[in-house]
Amino acid sequence: QVQLVESGGGLVQAGGSLRLSCAASGRSFSRYVMAWFRQAPGKEREFVALVRWSDDSTYYANAVKGRFTISRDNAKNTVYLQMNSLKPEDTAVYYCAASRVEITTTVDAYDYWGQGTQVTVSS
């Protein structure tokens, strides 16, 4: 049974930092793309960042480029999202997801999802 479990969310002031973790289990993700999405109240789920497990290729949404960094730890089967210089507009539930489609930012292309972790940035 595939499981993605996020952690690390919380409340932080604008300009602060948080690191999210996504622990993956239940199968090998060596051929998967791992991504973070987020969903703010009343808005659609949107792509944030992805990393290809096989070669560490990364891709970021323009809104977070230069502030967020996605990385992975093979030994721990875990993906991270380091978020710096946080802004109130980063407030959302953040989801970890896995896809067998190469480099995709489309929600429907992701096969597995975590339960989400809340990030709140106060002004």
Side-chain angles (χ1 to χ4, degrees):
Q1 180 180 357
V2 173
Q3 269 197 315
L4 301 177
V5 180
E6 303 99 333
S7 61
L11 173 63
V12 64
Q13 287 189 330
S17 298
L18 282 174
R19 189 176 81 154
L20 306 183
S21 300
C22 171
S25 63
R27 69 172 303 131
S28 170
F29 289 90
S30 61
R31 295 186 178 184
Y32 278 70
V33 167
M34 303 296 294
W36 289 94
F37 287 78
R38 66 187 182 186
Q39 188 166 19
K43 295 188 176 181
E44 293 187 351
R45 193 168 296 189
E46 65 175 6
F47 168 78
V48 174
L50 65 80
V51 60
R52 191 160 59 183
W53 207 280
S54 59
D55 64 0
D56 268 346
S57 299
T58 58
Y59 185 74
Y60 296 91
N62 287 335
V64 306
K65 200 172 294 183
R67 299 188 298 122
F68 291 10
T69 302
I70 189 170
S71 61
R72 60 172 176 78
D73 184 328
N74 280 350
K76 297 182 178 180
N77 232 25
T78 299
V79 177
Y80 302 99
L81 185 68
Q82 177 67 43
M83 305 186 295
N84 298 328
S85 302
L86 282 161
K87 306 174 181 180
E89 51 264 43
D90 294 319
T91 295
V93 177
Y94 283 70
Y95 297 91
C96 177
S99 171
R100 289 167 290 184
V101 177
E102 286 290 303
I103 309 293
T104 177
T105 63
T106 304
V107 170
D108 290 346
Y110 283 79
D111 306 291
Y112 304 106
W113 291 86
Q115 82 289 351
T117 185
Q118 177 70 46
V119 171
T120 303
V121 184
S122 63
S123 57

